[in-house]
Amino acid sequence: MTEFAHDAQMYHTAQIVLAGMTVCCLALWIVGRALFKVNIPLALNLFISAAVGAVVGGFGIPWRHLIEGPMYYIYINLVIFTALIMLQVMKENGQMEAIAWDILVCFRQRPFFLFMLLMLMVYFPGMVTGVGAAAVLSTGVIVAVILRAVGLPPLETGAMLAVWSTFGAAAPPVNLPALIISGGLNMPFDGFTQILLVLAVPPGLFAFWYLGYKYFKVITPEEINRILPVPQRAFLLQPYLPILTILVIFLAISFFPRQMPDLVSPLVFMIGALVAFASGRRINFFMASSRAMGGRLFGVVAVFFVVGSVVQVMTLTGVKGYLVISIFTLAAVSPVLLYLMMGFGIPLLGGTITHLGVSAVLAVPFAFALLTSNTIVIVSCLAMFCMMSQIIPPSALGGYTSQDVVGLPSYTPILKRCTVPALVAIGWTIVVMIFAKQFAEIFVPY
Amino acid sequence: MKIKPTSLLACVVSGLLVLTAVLSYNNFTRQWKDDLIIPSKHVTTVKWLSDYLPWLKGTRGDSRVFIIDSGVPGGTFGLLGGTHPDEQAGWMAAIILVEKLQLKSGKMVIIPHANNSAMTHSFPQEATPQFIHIPTDDGAVRVFRGGSRGTNPVDYWPDPEVFSHYQTGQKLSGEEVRNLNRNYPGRPDGQFTERVAHAIFKVLIDEGVDINLDLHEAWPEYPFVNAVGADQRASDIASLAALDLRMEGVEIGVEAVPKKFRGLSYRELSEYSNAMGLLAETPNASQGRIRGITDETLVIKGQDEFYVTATQLGRTFAKFDEHGWPLSKRVARHIALINALARTYTETYPEKPIEFENMPTYDELVDTPVGHFLNSPAAVAGN
């Protein structure tokens, strides 16, 4: 193995690796489009590009690193799979439709409450998994039906799902980037609840005002019954049993950690899936599970795994450090640039290496750069920037899944409709960051 | 292109996964074998953590406990290396003492691989070297595992989303459940890392440790670096030792235990046992977020141009120049601190002396490759 210089030569090595990865990524995309008329799956593209980058940098084919990196994401992928199995079962056995029917019947004349409830429905899966795509692919599907029923066009529906799921994943209790960043700073993940809500909820409210409110029309009971079947249930709460079950378990784990063993999320979701199976219309559980894992989700999970390879190769070759030091150098020119680099640099890089990858690569060094302010607020803000990656291509995990749900042929129009809410969220986060001490006095318990 | 979950695709993906597992098995399990440590003749007893908590026997968490008893009554110094095995100067300093230290009075209890399970794997995405090769004076090469920050997931998995410290309910990132230095004082029937923590706590109790030092390293951009942390009872000793070191030209800060941070060795072991708790940090570029190429050279030579730039930009707490922070210098700082602590402890508690003999000075250590202070496998038979 070559012994690498750790002097100024490292800049050149990192640039060569980075160029190799970028050129390979683009070349594969172009070849795929030109020769096969398809987009080569992002996961495959990134995996090959990472390997090629290492080779052109003189590191050989980094087998160990390509295999070791993805191990980090095994658990989160299990969470996504199991959460979606539960929600797929609920979808196929009619429980989701029943919940949607209840919401429409109760709130068809009260748009504010309706939108708030729908927002909560989209937020919830992201809040417990930390991944926006999980929300879109689960409750998002039924929320899309309701939004369309009350008059929203497909474009606005897709954009609403994309931004709500993105902001929802930033809401507590599970904010994966905040967990990664606080772990990097050796600080407890404690005291984040209120400030994460302050960051995640206002942009969501803005999004429903900006994207949805003006389209709202009151729907008649007859129209509701035409769109959704009248629920058949033994008792009122029957469709809610799976969600209530997992909610009770999660709350018990949170509030009674000594008495209640941590069953870990995948097992909790599987319990929820079994409760759904037992409490709804008879369906084939295994086929539902298979459908839950297919399609876009398979690609999302594959991207998560491959991001592990990419980040590890970037670390090995010094590209990660190169990106960090480049940003610090730019930020040294002016504090304004520092905030702009955070607000835009993090989501843009995260668009390639996902919100989890960018948390480890960029957000932790930024957090160190701002240690003089309130750390909990700073970490929360950085986590929010990382979350914005979920609507940025090429990964756009939340964005592409939203496009799938509303059935539009291209993601670009959805991304354009997401721009204003995303900019508002970034602007709001920057404001919170600048006034971190003042926000901390109110929203951080200590 | 949309991928449909067909049976053929499932077979192909499963086949690839099995093939990858088979091909990579040897690569990853190489790290499961314990490092060779060649104790000096002054080591009086070699025990295992499982002697203190039998549950650990046969697990990757079991680890050697080296006891050097001078035979002359005095105080007992506890030393932990390898709490975070990717902080190489910690376990290297501990191993050097196992292989070279001679005591005039008192007793030394050394656990070079406090979290032995964490020695057995590398942390995904960190790309740290799996092995570190250190040549000794006679040309032989000692091989040490690189290790990771936390317990091997093979021993404990999955991590919860949020880790709650059992005794206090403090919440931390889920992966900290495998961080030994977040699990003290541990529990005999807790999860894997809590059990390791409890075994170490039992070592301190059973061996009557008076002063305990946990050797770490930190990112150069981390504020607590080139410093010794001390619990309230150890703060005087730590301050005196730091003064001593400054007289030798070794700048070192003294930090109090963070009030709200629980599960740390120097806080909990001190609170639950009679030992004074201390923790030392030296700067290690191979851990930092700003580092460039991550390899063995970075660990041993400690030079990194990106960190030089970061220092110029005011982004590091440990100053970096073209000489970097080589392993020899980081080990030298740890050993100099141990020496200074023993000295000040003896001055403060003359009825419980801990006195070393033939300890190399800071200058000798800093200018000499660490291999010089290790025994050669050829010269000493067996382990």
Side-chain angles (χ1 to χ4, degrees), chain A residues 3-4 6-8 10-11 38-39 41 59 64-65 67-69 71-75 78-79 179 183-190 258 262 264-265 294-295 298 308 311-312 315-318 320-322 324-325 328-329 332 364-365 368-369 371 404 446, chain B residues 1-3 5 9 13 20 24 27-28 122-130 149 157-162 164 166-167 170-176 182 219 221-223 260-261 289-295 297-298 301 303-306 309-310 313 315:
Chain A
E3 184 167 327
F4 291 94
H6 289 251
D7 54 15
M10 278 203 309
Y11 283 97
V38 292
N39 288 329
F59 293 84
R64 172 203 148 201
H65 301 286
I67 294 166
E68 193 175 85
M71 300 300 158
Y72 188 79
Y73 295 100
I74 291 178
Y75 179 72
L78 262 183
V79 172
L179 280 159
L185 295 180
N186 286 344
M187 63 180 278
F189 181 66
D190 210 357
R258 285 174 181 238
D262 187 350
V264 300
S265 299
F298 194 75
V311 172
Q312 183 141 344
T315 310
L316 170 77
T317 54
K320 187 166 96 174
Y322 173 72
V324 175
I325 202 68
F328 280 166
T329 307
V364 175
F368 277 118
L371 275 184
D404 268 5
Y446 45 77
Chain B
M1 180 188 285
K2 289 209 171 164
I3 302 172
L9 180 67
V13 171
T20 305
S24 56
N27 183 295
F28 290 111
S122 313
F123 198 90
Q125 302 191 99
E126 287 301 314
T128 45
Q130 290 174 297
R149 185 175 175 79
W157 191 84
D159 301 340
E161 274 83 10
V162 178
S164 180
Y166 182 80
Q167 284 79 6
Q170 170 189 260
K171 288 183 171 57
L172 294 162
S173 158
E175 68 194 26
E176 300 288 20
R182 301 293 180 273
W219 311 358
E221 64 270 37
Y222 189 59
K260 288 174 186 153
F261 206 172
R289 303 293 96 177
I290 307 172
R291 70 181 185 265
I293 294 166
T294 306
D295 59 6
T297 311
L298 179 60
K301 293 188 178 167
Q303 293 161 341
D304 189 300
E305 183 64 21
F306 293 171
T309 308
L313 293 170
R315 296 287 179 198

Side-chain angles (χ1 to χ4, degrees), chain A residues 81-238:
Chain A
F81 272 144
T82 51
L84 292 184
I85 287 173
M86 181 186 98
L87 294 159
Q88 181 74 20
V89 173
M90 287 180 70
K91 217 155 57 183
E92 294 193 13
N93 73 5
Q95 287 176 324
M96 278 286 192
E97 285 175 337
I99 293 169
W101 191 90
D102 286 350
I103 291 171
L104 272 176
V105 166
C106 292
F107 298 103
R108 65 190 178 84
Q109 289 172 315
R110 285 174 250 178
F112 180 79
F113 291 108
L114 176 72
F115 278 107
M116 288 295 282
L117 208 57
L118 296 182
M119 186 170 131
L120 182 66
M121 275 181 79
V122 178
Y123 268 45
F124 178 71
M127 288 163 75
V128 294
T129 63
V131 180
V136 179
L137 292 167
S138 52
T139 52
V141 177
I142 211 71
V143 167
V145 173
I146 298 173
L147 288 174
R148 298 281 291 114
V150 296
L152 262 74
L155 187 59
E156 276 67 21
T157 304
M160 193 99 111
L161 283 184
V163 291
W164 271 356
S165 63
T166 296
F167 303 149
V174 178
N175 179 315
L176 294 175
L179 280 159
I180 291 170
I181 302 164
S182 58
L185 295 180
N186 286 344
M187 63 180 278
F189 181 66
D190 210 357
F192 281 81
T193 305
Q194 291 175 45
I195 191 68
L196 285 176
L197 285 172
V198 165
L199 287 165
V201 173
L205 295 173
F206 173 81
F208 102 64
W209 171 79
Y210 176 76
L211 291 169
Y213 206 75
K214 63 184 168 196
Y215 295 105
F216 178 82
K217 65 175 171 62
V218 176
I219 184 171
T220 62
E222 292 73 31
E223 282 174 306
I224 295 173
N225 289 338
R226 211 169 43 243
I227 299 164
L228 293 165
V230 179
Q232 306 293 315
R233 52 185 153 196
F235 54 96
L236 183 68
L237 289 179
Q238 192 183 14

Side-chain angles (χ1 to χ4, degrees), chain B residues 3 54 72 90 93 102 132 148 160 225 227 237 317 319 333 357 368 372:
Chain B
I3 302 172
V72 178
Q102 197 175 342
I132 315 289
S148 164
V225 70
I237 302 275
F317 287 87
K319 296 220 177 328
R333 288 185 67 92
E357 278 188 328
T368 316
H372 173 72

